[in-house]
Amino acid sequence: QMLAADLELKSRDLRPLIPGDELAAHLGRDPGPWLGDVLDALEEEQAVGAISTPDGAVTFAERWLGGGVPERRLFPSRH
């Protein structure tokens, strides 16, 4: 069952809620390797319905960078 759920999530056409450069600007950081990790985490949260707005993505990224979000690995890292 877990495999079926994983395949269903992977088959969704998810468009980023916020472009990476815009997210970095909101966070006051220069783009770098950290950004790919945050974007991967955002994609997974979006896939499970935990985040659905650009503001929600920024809030999640702030918490994630601060260490306040447990890691969820549904997809292999692409960055």
Side-chain angles (χ1 to χ4, degrees):
Q1 278 184 339
M2 186 63 146
L3 181 59
D6 189 40
L7 290 174
E8 180 182 336
L9 287 174
K10 286 180 182 179
S11 69
R12 291 183 185 176
D13 179 26
L14 295 177
R15 293 195 174 104
L17 294 169
I18 186 169
D21 58 340
E22 190 176 322
L23 178 62
H26 275 286
L27 299 173
R29 297 181 70 164
D30 290 329
W34 66 271
L35 188 55
D37 294 336
V38 172
L39 293 173
D40 284 344
L42 281 170
E43 179 183 42
E44 292 187 9
E45 294 301 304
Q46 183 181 355
V48 298
I51 299 171
S52 60
T53 66
D55 286 341
V58 172
T59 300
F60 173 84
E62 290 169 339
R63 288 185 26 238
W64 190 90
L65 289 167
V69 177
E71 188 171 339
R72 182 191 319 250
R73 280 282 155 212
L74 299 175
F75 308 126
S77 179
R78 293 190 309 233
H79 300 281

